[in-house]
Amino acid sequence: MELTIKFILGIICTIAIGLITNYIYDKIKNHSSSRNRKSGFELDVKIKFIKK
């Protein structure tokens, strides 16, 4: 019984560590690439005047 509890806890800890690592990696990746992109509030507006 004790062995199965340790086994289940080991699996849960492994999954939790994997999820935390993936979350941290995504945060670092998104933070570094956001410097090159514009924020969602900035818009490029180009107005063309047509002369007739």
Side-chain angles (χ1 to χ4, degrees):
M1 188 69 176
E2 189 178 24
L3 184 63
T4 57
I5 293 173
K6 288 183 179 179
F7 179 73
I8 291 171
L9 284 177
I11 290 175
I12 292 172
C13 288
T14 303
I15 292 172
I17 290 172
L19 290 174
I20 291 170
T21 305
N22 194 15
Y23 177 77
I24 293 172
Y25 174 74
D26 285 342
K27 287 293 181 183
I28 292 172
K29 184 176 148 187
N30 288 338
H31 180 69
S32 65
S33 67
S34 67
R35 293 179 188 164
N36 298 333
R37 293 183 293 171
K38 296 181 180 177
S39 68
F41 298 108
E42 293 182 37
L43 296 173
D44 284 337
V45 178
K46 294 182 181 179
I47 301 174
K48 293 183 179 179
F49 293 100
I50 300 174
K51 295 181 181 180
K52 291 185 177 183

